[in-house]
Amino acid sequence: MKCSVFCCSAALAVSVWAGAPYIARDSVSLSQSGSPTATIRYRLTGGPAIVTVDIQTNVNRSATGPDSDWVSIGERNFRNVTGNVNLLVSPSDTEDKVITWRVDEFLPDFKALHQSCRAVVRAWAPDAPPDYLVVDLRRDSKRPATDPRVRYYVSTNAFPEAENVQDDVYRTDYMAMRLIKARGKTFRMGSPASESVRSADEVIHNVTFTNADFYCAVYPVTCGQLLNIGAWFKGDQTGITDIRLDNSGWNYTIYQYHSYDPTYCSSNQLAAICNWANIRGRSDDGNPNWPTKGHYVCPLSICGQFRTRTGVDFDLPTEAQWEYCCRAGTLGPCYASDQKTIAWYDGNNSDGRNKQARPVGKLLPNDWGLYDTLGYLWEYCLDWYAAVGSTPVVEPIGPETGSYRVFRGGNYVYSYTYARAARRYSTSDTTATQKAGARLIAPVGLKWPTVADNRMLTATYSLDEEKIVTVDIQTNRTGTATSVDEDWVSIGERNFADVFGDVNRKVAAGENKMVHWRADETWPGHYFENGTIRMVVKKWDVSNPPDYLVIDLRNDETRGSTGTRERYFTSTNALPEGGLANRIYKKDYMVMRRIPAQGVTWCMGSPSGETGRVADAETQHYVQGRRISISINLKRLGMWASSLNE
C-alpha cells in the first residue's frame, strides 16, 4: 500500500477492552391489564447504561410492519414514566428492569394495547449520554427520599416536573443542563478585524477540544438555586448589606428586602458574594487555583455546596468552553440577527425597572437551548486573563498565574458592544463585582477525571495535498525511547479505536492538522510518560485508500450536522464502539471492504468436473480487472434487512 509515515512519542500502561451496554430487543415488553398503569420490562446487559424510553403507536394499528409504521406518541405524553428509566441503571443478565407509566394522566382515553403500542428502550453508554441532565437541588426534607438527584432526558419535552424548561421549577428547585458535544471539535474563537466595535484582544484562532463532552447549565445560577443549597434572603430595598461568616466557614447569610425574586440571577441581590473566589474557594482554604489545582473547589464555596448537595462536580467553564457554548456553531457577533431578542443590555432594559435584572429565560435561547449567555450578567470563567495569539490551540486552560480572572457576555446595564460572543473582560478574583454571575458546567460521568496531565497523546502534521490519514499507536518493548523501528510494536487497534481529530478520513491540505488519543478513556486509570509510546501517522493517497470504508447512514437529525459521512480504517479492529460485532454496523452504518481489482487476473466459472455444474452457464474463462479497486458490503443484504426488523 502506498502511504507515508510520521511518528510522535510518549509512554503508556496497559489495561483491558470493555464492551458496550446493550438491551436485547426481544426482552422488551409493554403490558396493561385493565388498570391505568402500563408496565414496561427490559433486560440490560454488557455494563451500566443510562436508559430512556419512547412510547410509539402504529399508524396501521397493527403489531406488525416495518419500523417506518411506528411513530412516537410524543414525549410530553409519557413524561411521567418512573422506575428504571432516565437514570444510570446497573446491568443484570437474569433480572428484568421495570418502568411504569400512568397512561391516563396525560392521555385519558389512551390504551397501551400491545397490538398498536410499543415501548422502545434505549441504553446510552455513560460516556455518551442523552442531551439533557436535570439535577435536583432541593433539601432532603423537601423531596422524596427515594428520588434520584440526577436524571437524563432526550429533550426538554420529556422533563416530568413541568411542560418545558421555562417553568420556574427549573429556575429554582432544579438545574437543567444541555450536553455540549465538544470532544474532537474545532471552532473559531475571537472576532474578525471587520467586526464592529471589536477589541484588540479578540484575536481569531482555532480551538480544538480533546477532553470529554460536558453539560452546560441552560440558565446562569439564580437566587432560588442558591437558596436551595443554603443561601437565604430577607429584606431592605437597598439590596444586600451584609454577609455573615460563622465559625464553620462560608455560611452565606444574605440580607435583601422585599423585592426578592428566586427566578432572578445574582445582580445586586448577590453582588457582595459574586466573585470568582466565593464561587470556587479562597486562597486560604485549599487554594483552589485554576489550572494548577484542576477542578478542586473548596467544600464551602458555592460550587462546593452544589457538589455536596447533589454529588455532581459542578464548576465554571474555561473561557474557550464558554465561547463555544455561547456561539452554538455561529460565527457572528451574537447568535441572532436582532440582539434585543436574545440579550438584556442598556438598549432594551430601561423601561421603568431602573435597569434591573429580569427572571432568566425570558428572551430567545441560542441554537443549543442556552438562555442569557449574552447581556444579562457577566459570567465568570476559570481562566486567568491573558492575551491570546493566532496560533491554533488544543484544550486551552489559560496561564497558571495572573492578576485578573476572565468573565464574559456583557450585562444588562452595559451597551450592546459588550453583549458579543468574542468580547473579553476581566476582574480581580476577590473583588465583589455587581452584575456578575456564573453559569455552571458538569462533566459527562458527573465526576472530573483524576488522571495525570499527560493522559492525552497528540500528533501534529501537515499535508501538501489531500490525503486519507490513519494512525497506529506503538509501544517500545525495551521500555526506552529508542529510535530503532524494530523495537516498536502496535498496542492493538482496538485499544485506540477512539482516536479523533484529523484522522480516519480525507484531510485537506494545510498545516497544524491534529490527531488526539486519550489513554485514560480507553484504559481507565492509566496514563503514559514521554518516551516509551509513539503515534505513527500514515498518509494514504486518495486513489489508494486503506482496506475499510465505513459510511454513516443515519439522518442528519440523529447524527448531527458536523463530521464526515465516510471514514476509512485499516482493519475492523479499528472501528469505534467495539468493532464490527457491534449492532450499529448492521443498522446505522455500512461497512465495506476494499477489493483490489485493477490489473488482477482470475479464473471465472467452474471446471468441468465440479459437482452440480451448469455446462452452458459456468464456462471457465480468465478475467482481468482494469478498473480501480472496488468495495463490497461486508454484511449480506439479508442480514442487513433482518437487523432493521429485529
Side-chain angles (χ1 to χ4, degrees), residues 307-321:
R307 292 184 183 189
T308 299
R309 173 60 56 83
T310 66
V312 178
D313 277 3
F314 291 106
D315 208 343
L316 296 173
T318 64
E319 185 178 14
Q321 287 172 330

Side-chain angles (χ1 to χ4, degrees), residues 372-384:
D372 302 310
T373 58
L374 294 178
Y376 203 90
L377 293 174
W378 291 112
E379 295 183 6
Y380 282 98
C381 300
L382 286 171
D383 308 35
W384 289 108

Side-chain angles (χ1 to χ4, degrees), residues 287 289-293 383-384 386 397-403 405 453:
N287 190 22
N289 179 54
W290 173 270
T292 56
K293 290 296 186 69
D383 308 35
W384 289 108
I397 57 177
E400 291 189 0
T401 60
S403 301
R405 295 287 181 180
D453 290 338

Side-chain angles (χ1 to χ4, degrees), residues 249-460:
W250 292 356
N251 234 348
Y252 303 126
T253 306
I254 301 167
Y255 290 84
Q256 193 240 322
Y257 284 94
H258 62 276
S259 60
Y260 163 64
D261 184 332
T263 66
Y264 283 26
C265 278
S266 13
S267 69
N268 286 338
Q269 295 175 346
L270 297 179
I273 67 166
C274 202
N275 58 47
W276 192 97
N278 282 356
I279 293 171
R280 300 192 79 245
R282 305 173 300 188
S283 59
D284 61 347
D285 186 9
N287 190 22
N289 179 54
W290 173 270
T292 56
K293 290 296 186 69
H295 287 286
Y296 168 78
V297 300
C298 298
L300 293 175
S301 66
I302 290 176
C303 281
Q305 291 185 59
F306 273 113
R307 292 184 183 189
T308 299
R309 173 60 56 83
T310 66
V312 178
D313 277 3
F314 291 106
D315 208 343
L316 296 173
T318 64
E319 185 178 14
Q321 287 172 330
W322 184 94
E323 187 167 329
Y324 184 67
C325 292
C326 175
R327 288 190 176 280
T330 62
L331 296 175
C334 55
Y335 46 84
S337 57
D338 185 356
Q339 200 173 26
K340 292 182 179 179
T341 65
I342 61 168
W344 294 113
Y345 61 98
D346 70 348
N348 67 346
N349 195 33
S350 56
D351 56 352
R353 294 178 60 89
N354 193 27
K355 295 184 177 180
Q356 294 181 14
R358 317 289 183 108
V360 296
K362 294 301 184 181
L363 299 179
L364 296 178
N366 67 14
D367 287 346
W368 292 347
L370 306 182
Y371 292 81
D372 302 310
T373 58
L374 294 178
Y376 203 90
L377 293 174
W378 291 112
E379 295 183 6
Y380 282 98
C381 300
L382 286 171
D383 308 35
W384 289 108
Y385 177 86
V388 295
S390 58
T391 303
V393 293
V394 176
E395 202 68 52
I397 57 177
E400 291 189 0
T401 60
S403 301
Y404 302 97
R405 295 287 181 180
V406 174
F407 57 11
R408 301 289 296 268
N411 68 40
Y412 62 87
V413 297
Y414 278 48
S415 73
Y416 75 96
T417 65
Y418 292 88
R420 296 182 301 110
R423 185 66 165 91
R424 308 181 70 210
Y425 215 63
S426 63
T427 185
S428 166
D429 61 351
T430 58
T431 300
T433 304
Q434 291 191 1
K435 304 169 185 64
R439 184 184 302 267
L440 301 183
I441 67 169
V444 166
L446 309 183
K447 299 292 183 183
W448 298 107
T450 56
V451 296
D453 290 338
N454 59 352
R455 61 188 179 269
M456 181 68 66
L457 178 63
T458 297
T460 303

Side-chain angles (χ1 to χ4, degrees), residues 365-634:
N366 67 14
D367 287 346
W368 292 347
L370 306 182
Y371 292 81
D372 302 310
T373 58
L374 294 178
Y376 203 90
L377 293 174
W378 291 112
E379 295 183 6
Y380 282 98
C381 300
L382 286 171
D383 308 35
W384 289 108
Y385 177 86
V388 295
S390 58
T391 303
V393 293
V394 176
E395 202 68 52
I397 57 177
E400 291 189 0
T401 60
S403 301
Y404 302 97
R405 295 287 181 180
V406 174
F407 57 11
R408 301 289 296 268
N411 68 40
Y412 62 87
V413 297
Y414 278 48
S415 73
Y416 75 96
T417 65
Y418 292 88
R420 296 182 301 110
R423 185 66 165 91
R424 308 181 70 210
Y425 215 63
S426 63
T427 185
S428 166
D429 61 351
T430 58
T431 300
T433 304
Q434 291 191 1
K435 304 169 185 64
R439 184 184 302 267
L440 301 183
I441 67 169
V444 166
L446 309 183
K447 299 292 183 183
W448 298 107
T450 56
V451 296
D453 290 338
N454 59 352
R455 61 188 179 269
M456 181 68 66
L457 178 63
T458 297
T460 303
Y461 65 92
S462 301
L463 294 176
D464 295 327
E465 59 181 342
E466 184 181 53
K467 296 280 188 179
I468 296 168
V469 175
T470 63
V471 298
D472 185 24
I473 295 176
Q474 301 176 347
T475 186
N476 193 296
R477 53 186 145 194
T478 67
T480 63
T482 176
S483 60
V484 180
D485 282 346
E486 289 76 10
D487 290 336
W488 294 90
V489 294
S490 176
I491 67 171
E493 290 161 323
R494 283 200 175 185
N495 292 317
F496 57 87
D498 57 346
V499 293
F500 60 98
D502 298 314
V503 66
N504 295 329
R505 63 179 177 85
K506 293 178 181 178
V507 181
E511 298 181 350
N512 296 311
K513 308 296 183 180
M514 294 183 181
V515 184
H516 313 282
W517 174 58
R518 286 196 55 147
D520 63 306
E521 291 196 359
T522 304
W523 295 340
H526 294 276
Y527 59 93
F528 49 77
E529 298 173 355
N530 291 334
T532 60
I533 196 167
R534 71 179 185 178
M535 185 184 292
V536 179
V537 179
K538 298 181 180 181
K539 306 171 184 177
W540 306 73
D541 288 342
V542 174
S543 61
N544 193 20
D547 282 347
Y548 290 91
L549 170 66
V550 176
I551 301 174
D552 191 339
L553 305 177
R554 296 173 298 168
N555 59 40
D556 289 339
E557 182 179 356
T558 301
R559 65 184 290 271
S561 59
T562 60
T564 179
R565 282 197 179 272
E566 299 84 28
R567 300 189 74 85
Y568 297 84
F569 301 92
T570 55
S571 82
T572 56
N573 287 331
L575 300 182
E577 306 295 339
L580 189 63
N582 192 312
R583 290 165 59 88
I584 62 174
Y585 297 112
K586 299 177 182 177
K587 181 179 179 182
D588 296 333
Y589 301 85
M590 181 178 287
V591 183
M592 308 189 80
R593 177 66 156 90
R594 184 178 181 225
I595 306 299
Q598 187 175 16
V600 176
T601 300
W602 73 95
C603 184
M604 191 171 177
S606 63
S608 57
E610 184 171 300
T611 302
R613 179 177 186 268
V614 179
D616 295 336
E618 301 177 21
T619 304
Q620 269 192 322
H621 59 287
Y622 286 93
V623 177
Q624 184 178 38
R626 294 184 177 179
R627 298 184 178 181
I628 62 173
S629 300
I630 60 174
S631 297
I632 62 171
N633 182 12
L634 285 181

